[in-house]
């Protein structure tokens, strides 16, 4: 009888181990099935890399440089694919050992299975998606941030001043240099408009999500009845190249298409105001873009600054158009940079202390940290992650 019971117990144990092995195998297959689109996209990129490697020797010098650059960009993905392949092969070797008669071997196999499963899952859910996002062509650029007061009168001007401080503070925390290129005050002490130059690698890519209409809801200091006012500030984040005043035709425009006018500066500015023609206005005839600059003391400095702003605006148009042409629709950064779109609301009303980004539906109760600290980083990170997910989705769809 005891022999029969022991035999039955061994049978049950074997069945349990077999069931466990089947369950783990099914879990792995489900992981691969759920990540099938990502894996196909990665495999396609690896195939492209291998094709480039095979052709690398039979090219002209210029083509060779371009292909070498492509191969270098694909190298991290290739290394991750090798890691995935190795882990997958190891998992296949471990699966049979989960049903081994030796309990010690089964324990070791189970631990190894857990580690390998976590590695494979991380590749599909994190590593591959991140590497499928192509390097940003603007990742090295600095930026010009233009702020213009919208509805709300003096309250909008005060809110513009608050936002300007946010970006200057954030630039300092990132180790970037910031300087006010142009500003225009109103009687309330706020600013009607301002342009801040932020110089540092990655500044444009970090702040480009800020383009759009920012809305504030709060009780102005001058409001006696305690009524909440709604005011807006329009922000345009422009890519900034390091070039100054062009001496000939620029890659973004021809000098013959730019009308240059000089005039006497108006407003605050010192003894030179209304005495010398230091102010400069540029008009790019094909697009109608006009840039006026008078904050610097010399005509040459104002001219250099004006060309810098003109180039930034034209580069912004070019980047937007390139993305629109490639995707056949204005999405991702194009949508995020819509000049008329209300992108974020800062709500002081009734002590709510809430900031809401309408593009991704994200609300945080950290308004003071955004305005007085560096909590704006939370929104910038969330927007970047959302953009990367969209780009990854497009990359996957392109590989179908």
């Amino acid at each position: 009888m005891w022999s029969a019971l022991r035999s039955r117990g061994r049978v049950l144990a074997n069945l349990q181990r077999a069931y466990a092995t089947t369950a783990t195998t099914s879990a792995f297959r489900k992981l691969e099935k759920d990540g099938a689109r990502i894996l196909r996209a990665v495999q396609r990129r690896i195939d492209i890399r291998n094709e480039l490697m095979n052709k690398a020797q039979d090219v002209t010098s210029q083509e060779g440089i371009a292909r070498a650059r492509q191969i270098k960009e694909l190298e991290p993905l290739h290394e991750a694919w090798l890691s995935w392949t190795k882990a997958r092969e190891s998992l296949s070797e471990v699966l049979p050992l989960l049903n081994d008669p030796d309990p010690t071997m089964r324990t070791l196999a189970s631990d190894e299975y857990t580690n390998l499963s976590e590695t494979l899952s991380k590749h599909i859910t994190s590593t591959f998606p991140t590497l499928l996002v192509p390097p940003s062509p603007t990742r090295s650029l600095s930026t010009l941030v233009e702020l213009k007061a919208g509805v709300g009168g003096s309250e909008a001007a005060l809110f513009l001043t608050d936002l300007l401080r946010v970006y200057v503070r954030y630039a300092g925390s990132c180790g970037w240099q910031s300087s006010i290129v142009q500003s225009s005050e109103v009687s309330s002490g706020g600013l009607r408009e301002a342009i801040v130059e932020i110089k540092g690698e990655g500044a444009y890519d970090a702040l480009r999500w800020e383009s759009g209409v920012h809305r504030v809801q709060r009780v102005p200091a001058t409001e006696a009845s305690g009524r909440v006012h709604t005011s807006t500030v329009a922000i345009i984040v422009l890519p900034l190249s390091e070039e100054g005043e062009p001496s000939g035709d620029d890659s973004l425009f021809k000098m013959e298409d730019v009308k240059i006018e000089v005039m006497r500066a108006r407003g605050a500015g010192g003894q030179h105001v209304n005495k010398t023609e230091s102010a400069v206005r540029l008009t790019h005839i094909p697009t109608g873009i006009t840039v006026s600059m008078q904050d610097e003391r010399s005509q040459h400095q104002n001219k250099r600054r004006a060309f810098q702003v003109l180039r930034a605006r034209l580069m912004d148009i070019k980047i937007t158009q390139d993305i629109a042409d490639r995707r056949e629709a204005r999405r991702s950064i194009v949508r995020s940079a819509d000049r008329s779109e209300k992108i974020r609301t800062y709500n002081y009303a009734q002590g709510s202390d809430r900031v809401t980004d309408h593009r991704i539906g994200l609300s945080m109760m950290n308004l003071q940290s955004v305005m007085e600290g560096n909590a704006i980083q939370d929104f910038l990170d969330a927007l970047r992650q959302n953009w990367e997910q969209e780009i990854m989705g497009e990359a996957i769809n392109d590989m179908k």
Side-chain angles (χ1 to χ4, degrees):
M1 181 180 68
W2 295 112
S3 177
L5 288 175
R6 283 195 298 271
S7 179
R8 182 180 299 176
R10 285 195 296 271
V11 171
L12 288 174
N14 289 336
L15 288 173
Q16 288 173 347
R17 289 197 296 270
Y19 177 78
T21 302
T22 302
T24 53
T25 303
S26 298
F28 172 64
R29 288 176 178 171
K30 185 178 185 302
L31 176 67
E32 284 200 320
K33 182 179 179 181
D34 293 343
R37 294 175 65 203
I38 291 177
L39 291 174
R40 284 197 299 270
V42 174
Q43 181 65 70
R44 177 57 184 147
R45 292 284 179 88
I46 298 303
D47 291 342
I48 291 174
R49 175 193 174 277
N50 293 338
E51 291 174 6
L52 291 171
M53 291 288 289
N54 293 334
K55 297 178 180 178
Q57 301 301 323
D58 187 23
V59 292
T60 64
S61 177
Q62 187 174 0
E63 291 174 342
I65 293 173
R67 283 180 177 164
R69 187 182 300 114
Q70 286 182 278
I71 292 171
K72 184 178 180 180
E73 291 176 353
L74 290 170
E75 200 58 34
L77 188 62
H78 177 248
E79 292 177 0
W81 179 253
L82 292 178
S83 174
W84 157 270
T85 303
K86 183 178 179 180
R88 192 182 186 283
E89 291 173 353
S90 297
L91 187 68
S92 299
E93 296 172 357
V94 166
L95 285 174
L97 299 178
L98 295 172
N99 197 28
D100 195 276
D102 184 352
T104 302
M105 184 61 72
R106 289 200 306 272
T107 300
L108 292 173
S110 178
D111 292 342
E112 183 67 8
Y113 172 82
T114 299
N115 293 333
L116 291 170
S117 296
E118 290 177 354
T119 297
L120 292 170
S121 178
K122 183 179 179 181
H123 273 70
I124 289 180
T125 59
S126 176
T127 305
F128 286 152
T130 300
L131 293 174
L132 281 173
V133 178
S136 169
T138 56
R139 59 188 178 276
S140 63
L141 296 182
S142 299
T143 186
L144 285 177
V145 181
E146 293 190 15
L147 304 93
K148 294 184 179 181
V151 299
S154 60
E155 174 63 10
L158 292 172
F159 182 50
L160 186 154
T161 306
D162 292 340
L163 289 177
L164 181 61
R165 282 198 296 266
V166 169
Y167 297 129
V168 170
R169 184 185 301 111
Y170 178 72
S173 70
C174 294
W176 301 327
Q177 296 180 346
S178 63
S179 59
I180 308 300
V181 174
Q182 185 175 13
S183 63
S184 176
E185 289 190 30
V186 296
S187 58
S188 64
L191 296 173
R192 182 171 60 249
E193 60 182 4
I195 300 177
V196 57
E197 177 187 74
I198 299 177
K199 300 186 70 173
E201 185 171 343
Y204 172 69
D205 274 8
L207 290 170
R208 56 182 168 170
W209 321 112
E210 295 302 287
S211 287
V213 176
H214 294 240
R215 181 177 69 173
V216 63
Q217 294 177 324
R218 63 185 179 186
V219 179
T222 56
E223 175 58 55
S225 63
R227 184 169 58 91
V228 175
H229 287 229
T230 298
S231 306
T232 63
V233 170
I235 293 179
I236 303 175
V237 180
L238 302 169
L240 176 64
S241 65
E242 296 301 320
E243 300 175 31
E245 180 184 342
S247 56
D249 287 349
D250 190 277
S251 60
L252 294 169
F253 60 88
K254 295 180 178 180
M255 284 300 297
E256 62 190 45
D257 291 334
V258 180
K259 180 181 178 182
I260 303 175
E261 299 174 274
V262 295
M263 61 205 76
R264 292 182 179 180
R266 295 173 295 174
Q271 295 180 350
H272 73 295
V273 173
N274 292 324
K275 293 184 179 180
T276 61
E277 293 187 334
S278 60
V280 174
R281 180 167 62 217
L282 305 179
T283 302
H284 184 243
I285 298 172
T287 61
I289 293 176
T290 299
V291 179
S292 298
M293 194 65 59
Q294 67 171 23
D295 283 24
E296 303 292 345
R297 287 189 169 272
S298 73
Q299 183 187 119
H300 176 73
Q301 290 174 322
N302 281 322
K303 188 176 180 182
R304 183 184 64 82
R305 284 290 193 186
F307 269 108
Q308 187 180 48
V309 174
L310 175 63
R311 183 180 293 105
R313 291 180 181 174
L314 290 173
M315 188 184 299
D316 179 60
I317 292 174
K318 183 178 184 300
I319 291 172
T320 299
Q321 188 59 51
D322 287 347
I323 294 174
D325 291 343
R326 187 170 67 249
R327 299 177 189 169
E328 300 178 355
R330 296 176 63 84
R331 297 186 296 183
S332 294
I333 182 176
V334 181
R335 186 182 64 240
S336 300
D338 189 338
R339 309 305 184 225
S340 63
E341 184 180 3
K342 179 188 68 179
I343 64 167
R344 193 177 298 148
T345 296
Y346 306 73
N347 196 327
Y348 292 78
Q350 299 176 346
S352 64
D353 197 40
R354 183 178 69 250
V355 183
T356 299
D357 197 288
H358 305 288
R359 292 164 293 184
I360 53 178
L362 176 63
S363 291
M364 294 186 183
M365 308 300 291
N366 63 346
L367 191 153
Q368 290 302 322
S369 296
V370 170
M371 303 304 293
E372 304 298 335
N374 285 316
I376 190 174
Q377 186 70 64
D378 297 337
F379 287 95
L380 297 178
D381 288 343
L383 288 160
R384 177 184 53 79
Q385 291 170 7
N386 180 71
W387 174 75
E388 288 180 350
Q389 289 172 2
E390 290 187 7
I391 294 297
M392 185 196 68
E394 292 177 0
I396 292 174
N397 290 331
D398 289 343
M399 295 299 175
K400 286 184 176 179

